[in-house]
Amino acid sequence: MTTTSPATPRDRSPDADTRAALDAALARLRTGSADWRALPAAARRDLLREVRAAVADAADDWARVAAESKGLDPRHPLAGEEWLAGPYAALVALDAYAASLDALARGRSPLAGVRLGTGPGGRTVVHSSPLRASDRLLLSGYTTEVWLQPGVTPHEARDAAGLASRHPHRAGGVGLVLGAGNVTSIPFLDVLYELLAEGRVALLKVNPTQDALVPVFERAFAPLIRAGLVAVASGGGDVGAYLTRHPGIDHVHITGSETTFRAIVGTGEDRLRVPITAELGGVSPIIVVPGRWSKADLRFQAEHVATMRLHNSGHNCIAGQVVLLSRDWDQREEFVRELHRVFGRTPQRPVWYPNAADRLQRVRDVYPDAAWFAGDTRAIAAGGGEIETTEYFAPVLGVIDLPGTGAAFLDAAVAHANDRLTGTLGANVLVDPATLRDLGAGFEDALARLRFGTVAVNAWTAFGFLTPTATWGAYPGGTIGDAPSGIGVVHNALLLDGVERTVVRGPFRPFPRSLGRGRFSVLPKPPWFVTSRTGRAVSEGFTRFRMDGRVGPLLLTLVRAFGA
């Protein structure tokens, strides 16, 4: 999400030259919309393959510029975030969309060959990853499922998959994508969704925090820009406001804050006249189910929690913000001590997002007893209150105690997350294999009760963001008048209809401790962990394998992964 508004204030307007350039871009897109409608699925697939080549060509600059814009040396281990959350995410999405278009071109459903199952309440479950051998290796032990809304049958799911790409000749119009300012693949992926799921050509208005990446986006989108299907614009709130009220726009999509969303929707005579979808973030829980954990488990999962909060310096809509612990867990104090240790030893980095310093000061004022680390740039605060209702978008973690153990604690945590925390974007659950077995079917029922668009079990919900065949967005039910985490979904490269949520599952223990102890994984410490010493090298290596498929360099990357 973003906290600076790409669409306000409305008391200013771009200068005449800027307005003329935007008008011309929208006119070209209007023509391009007709051309897009004329392209069958096979031609769209081939065009995506051209975009893929363009992304691969721009990947080095993409990762470098993104790291530098956040105050990171591109060689720093944490710069691996910019490889995975930038060109890697773009490449895997393009491959997944191309596979769906290829299926449609052959007269098949994008779900052909994808395993379907049944979840709680008879829900249809789409086992959306891994679908390729390379995913089973690189992301060993991690899976995603898309749960469809109750009542959607497997037959209906297969028949509806494809969305607008099933009917390319229907008019889609021109969409405005107001890009996020924090994660560099978000604007790119949102544009792809406009094209392929909604059938709309798109004007991407880049957030000012990503202005340095405009040339990269233009290179990556070059085949689509030449075809008149995409345009890229930069500028401040005046440009965003002009575009949201432009008669050449048929739809608006924003990744941002609820405040920005409200400003765009407007009121009275200034009310937005076209439909809008949005991803607006929220306060994400990390539910820690009490069990019997080894010292290694406590350390690993503390690093896991720290990653959920400190990745990208906390400037993530899906950052874990509130840890829900059992006050009756006999290892509670030990786990909290491990959290404090990892917050203290994780490399210090810039808190770079606009207004983050003000939000950190707000935490000092509201939580005077909070523990501060890394030169007072990150904090852990005990107790509830504002941290449950305000997305800080900064490296601040809350710890809240609830009663009970086992199923009683899980029920209390689910109710607290649903009823006390703002937003419905994502929830994380950490549970050891023995406790998971003891909970039995009740655990899946508890997942079904969590009203969040992505739920991750022994994983971070960001894994769902990074998986193109998963879906990303708020839990269903958001409206113009009440959308704390937004409306609609994105990514969704299988082009599924009737989506309720994505469920991510990962290993509780890394290799070699995963051997015979729950869900198996060959991965040691994942490269996206903020404590990984080889995060940049491994993340870059994974991206280069997606670019060229060369096995030799991949083997070297996997060796490096064991040095994390």
Side-chain angles (χ1 to χ4, degrees):
M1 67 159 277
T2 64
T3 56
T4 55
S5 171
T8 55
R10 292 206 174 84
D11 58 348
R12 293 185 291 117
S13 179
D15 60 48
D17 290 343
T18 299
R19 293 197 303 273
L22 295 171
D23 293 347
L26 289 172
R28 288 193 299 272
L29 287 171
R30 183 63 60 185
T31 300
S33 178
D35 295 336
W36 183 239
R37 291 198 305 272
L39 281 183
R44 294 182 176 194
R45 174 203 61 203
D46 294 344
L47 189 54
L48 285 194
R49 289 171 177 167
E50 293 182 38
V51 176
R52 188 190 196 283
V55 168
D57 181 68
D60 286 86
D61 287 340
W62 188 331
R64 175 185 57 79
V65 173
E68 291 174 347
S69 72
K70 299 177 181 183
L72 284 175
D73 186 320
R75 297 165 296 180
H76 194 285
L78 291 174
E81 296 173 1
E82 302 311 320
W83 282 95
L84 287 182
Y88 178 95
L91 289 165
V92 295
L94 287 163
D95 286 343
Y97 281 123
S100 290
L101 290 174
D102 187 67
L104 291 169
R106 298 171 186 271
R108 305 171 67 195
S109 168
L111 285 180
V114 177
R115 183 166 63 94
L116 304 185
T118 303
R123 291 170 174 83
T124 296
V125 173
V126 179
H127 293 273
S128 54
S129 76
L131 299 178
R132 303 193 305 179
S134 59
D135 293 329
R136 294 184 179 91
L137 174 63
L138 296 185
L139 305 172
S140 173
Y142 291 86
T143 61
T144 64
E145 309 156 8
V146 178
W147 292 12
L148 302 183
Q149 294 178 17
V152 178
T153 68
H155 174 77
E156 290 169 337
R158 291 190 180 93
D159 189 56
L163 299 178
S165 288
R166 292 181 67 238
H167 308 286
H169 301 301
R170 295 180 182 175
V174 178
L176 170 64
V177 172
L178 297 171
N182 60 329
V183 174
T184 63
S185 63
I186 292 176
F188 185 92
L189 298 176
D190 289 349
V191 167
L192 291 185
Y193 200 71
E194 283 290 290
L195 285 164
L196 300 166
E198 307 293 354
R200 288 186 285 266
V201 299
L203 190 153
L204 167 62
K205 193 275 180 189
V206 176
N207 188 284
T209 64
Q210 294 194 7
D211 276 350
L213 280 160
V214 168
V216 172
F217 289 142
E218 290 175 337
R219 286 172 60 190
F221 281 129
L224 299 173
I225 292 173
R226 287 195 298 268
L229 307 176
V230 169
V232 179
S234 60
D238 55 340
V239 172
Y242 180 73
L243 289 170
T244 58
R245 267 46 183 185
H246 198 287
I249 293 295
D250 300 299
H251 180 272
V252 175
H253 178 79
I254 176 177
T255 299
S257 70
E258 188 176 14
T259 300
T260 302
F261 176 79
R262 294 280 160 234
I264 293 169
V265 170
T267 58
E269 294 183 358
D270 192 41
R271 193 167 183 83
L272 186 68
R273 63 172 184 81
V274 299
I276 184 171
T277 52
E279 193 266 84
L280 305 177
V283 175
S284 293
I286 306 167
I287 299 171
V288 180
V289 182
R292 175 50 51 191
W293 294 11
S294 69
K295 290 186 180 298
D297 294 336
L298 291 164
R299 286 194 300 271
F300 179 78
Q301 293 301 343
E303 292 182 24
H304 199 176
V305 171
T307 295
M308 297 180 197
R309 179 70 268 187
L310 300 181
H311 181 281
N312 199 24
S313 205
H315 309 314
N316 286 332
C317 58
I318 198 54
Q321 181 162 304
V322 173
V323 180
L324 300 179
L325 289 177
S326 168
R327 67 170 62 103
D328 301 315
W329 185 27
D330 59 5
Q331 293 182 289
R332 178 202 175 279
E333 297 302 323
E334 192 176 358
F335 182 66
V336 171
R337 283 196 297 271
E338 288 293 343
L339 277 178
H340 281 235
R341 289 190 187 108
V342 71
F343 260 59
R345 73 173 186 267
T346 299
Q348 188 171 340
R349 65 189 302 175
V351 181
W352 61 271
Y353 207 80
N355 303 315
D358 294 339
R359 292 191 291 277
L360 290 177
Q361 183 57 52
R362 175 66 182 174
V363 172
R364 291 185 181 92
D365 296 339
V366 176
Y367 296 96
D369 296 328
W372 289 85
F373 309 89
D376 290 345
T377 61
R378 60 184 70 142
I380 296 178
E386 185 177 282
I387 204 166
E388 299 175 282
T389 58
T390 300
E391 183 186 9
Y392 281 129
F393 215 63
V396 179
L397 184 71
V399 177
I400 295 175
D401 290 333
L402 300 175
T405 59
F409 168 79
L410 185 57
D411 290 345
V414 168
H416 193 99
N418 285 340
D419 301 336
R420 299 283 294 276
L421 304 186
T422 294
T424 65
L425 187 60
N428 311 272
V429 183
L430 303 180
V431 55
D432 68 273
T435 303
L436 187 59
R437 286 193 297 271
D438 291 343
L439 290 168
F443 182 79
E444 295 298 307
D445 292 337
L447 295 188
R449 293 197 303 275
L450 274 168
R451 296 192 297 269
F452 291 84
T454 298
V455 177
V457 181
N458 293 331
W460 179 24
T461 45
F463 189 92
F465 170 92
L466 200 64
T467 303
T469 47
T471 58
W472 187 251
Y475 190 77
T479 65
I480 292 292
D482 182 20
S485 283
I487 303 171
V489 300
V490 290
H491 303 183
N492 187 24
L494 293 173
L495 301 172
L496 302 170
D497 198 9
V499 169
E500 181 185 65
R501 77 182 81 202
T502 282
V503 175
V504 181
R505 302 180 197 264
F508 182 75
R509 299 180 175 99
F511 185 85
R513 294 191 302 113
S514 62
L515 286 165
R517 306 178 71 187
R519 178 175 282 236
F520 175 72
S521 174
V522 300
L523 285 179
K525 184 183 297 182
W528 54 86
F529 268 38
V530 292
T531 52
S532 174
R533 296 188 300 271
T534 60
R536 195 274 309 162
V538 174
S539 299
E540 179 181 347
F542 281 7
T543 306
R544 294 198 183 282
F545 175 72
R546 295 297 190 187
M547 289 162 58
D548 57 30
R550 295 172 60 200
V551 175
L554 175 62
L555 295 177
L556 178 59
T557 295
L558 294 175
V559 170
R560 286 173 173 160
F562 282 85

